[in-house]
């Protein structure tokens, strides 16, 4: 085999996802997800000052956990020690003095994804047919392996030969992984989940590094990413943008380190949650020479110039980026949208699966994206 298809697909979880991220909970998503993230960040402090305790209570109020350990969208897990006192007067106070005085966290409640949505996800993977597929928002390696072994057979395709996933930094079980087939063999795995800079931990999930031996002989290095998302913080996303900038800086350093070590064929894939012209992603493009496969003359956009929902340029947030040496071997690529819901009023409509008749049955809000590499070029 002298060709390799490299793909990226944000599956938005395969079997279950947080209730607050369901399509019917849109108005609650931003405040609940922001409160969840900030609460779990604050409780890591060694000491809870009065100001921290007050903020913790504010987030518990948003999560509807002041009077109970369970609400519509969240659960307060307490393993050891005492965190709260719920008084008969109706007031609630934080009694823990810091991280050492109790063990616990807040997790989001989940609900099953429809069987049809899961099937459509498998159909997308089958129809894209990537030999090397970066997967974003997979729950765990066990579930990713189960999905490959059972659902791909269910839609008339063979499972992937290798399934890889390392737990990342997101408490919601939103991880990145890699699937390979047709003798594309992973020979080295490196996690960057513990990477830090002066501001702390860098990656929201991970920048998972996979070295793949291809049947044609050359080694391919794939960096699978899911950068800090938009929409759950302050208006204008200043915090998220700063985090994505830090992440882009570190990815650029990793790419340049790999090239200095002699690895010419490097692909950065995944959901980068921003557009290529954004300030946040500037280091990734200006410091590495990486080329977006969508720049290729034989790239097929399939009716839209974005990858997220039906949005055009502002929705181009999923990527397959290639080093110049790898881009030179690209013969084309494309966006695959058949698993993405389109409303009845959508203009310039793309083809969807016949069974995709309702938004809840969509495989994902994200289209898959891929690049074709000819090693003989």
């Amino acid at each position: 085999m002298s060709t390799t298809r490299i793909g990226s697909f944000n599956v938005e979880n395969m079997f279950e996802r947080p209730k607050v991220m369901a399509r019917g909970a849109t108005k609650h998503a931003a405040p609940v997800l922001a409160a969840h993230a900030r609460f779990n960040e604050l409780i890591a402090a060694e000491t809870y000052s009065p100001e921290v305790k007050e903020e913790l209570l504010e987030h518990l109020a948003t999560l509807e956990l002041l009077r109970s350990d369970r609400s519509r969208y969240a659960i307060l897990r307490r393993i050891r020690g005492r965190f709260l006192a719920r008084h008969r007067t109706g007031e609630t106070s934080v009694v823990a003095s810091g991280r050492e005085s109790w063990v616990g966290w807040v997790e989001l409640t989940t609900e099953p994804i429809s069987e049809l949505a899961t099937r459509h996800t498998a159909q997308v993977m089958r129809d894209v047919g990537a030999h090397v597929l970066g997967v974003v928002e997979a729950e765990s390696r066990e579930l990713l392996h189960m999905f490959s072994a059972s659902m791909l057979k269910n839609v008339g395709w063979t499972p992937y030969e290798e399934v890889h996933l390392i737990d990342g930094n997101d408490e919601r079980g939103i991880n990145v992984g890699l699937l390979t087939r047709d003798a594309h063999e992973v020979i080295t795995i490196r996690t960057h989940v513990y990477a830090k800079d002066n501001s702390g931990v860098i990656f929201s999930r991970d920048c998972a590094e996979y070295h793949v031996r291809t049947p044609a002989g050359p080694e391919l290095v794939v960096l699978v990413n899911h950068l800090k998302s938009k929409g759950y913080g302050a208006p204008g996303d200043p915090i998220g943008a700063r985090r994505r900038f830090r992440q882009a800086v570190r990815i650029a350093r990793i790419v340049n380190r790999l090239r200095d070590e002699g690895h010419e064929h490097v692909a950065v894939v995944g959901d980068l949650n921003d557009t290529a012209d954004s300030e946040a992603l500037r280091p990734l493009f200006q410091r590495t020479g990486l080329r977006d496969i969508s720049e290729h003359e034989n790239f097929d956009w399939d009716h839209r110039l974005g990858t997220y929902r039906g949005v055009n340029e502002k929705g181009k947030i999923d990527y397959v980026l290639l080093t110049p040496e790898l881009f030179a071997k690209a013969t084309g690529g494309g966006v695959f949208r058949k698993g993405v819901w389109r409303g009845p009023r959508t203009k310039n409509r793309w083809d969807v699966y016949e069974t995709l008749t309702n938004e809840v049955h969509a495989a994902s809000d994200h289209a898959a994206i891929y690049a074709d590499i000819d090693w003989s070029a």
Side-chain angles (χ1 to χ4, degrees), residues 6-10 132-134 136 269-271 318-320 367-370:
I6 306 168
S8 176
F9 186 25
N10 185 330
V132 177
L133 179 64
V136 176
V269 308
D271 177 0
D318 300 274
Y319 294 85
V320 176
I369 185 171
Y370 61 89

Side-chain angles (χ1 to χ4, degrees), residues 1 129-131 157-161 180-185 214-215:
M1 176 184 291
H131 302 102
W157 208 39
T158 55
Y160 276 88
E161 293 158 10
T180 66
R181 63 187 306 113
D182 298 335
H184 287 75
E185 179 188 0
T214 67

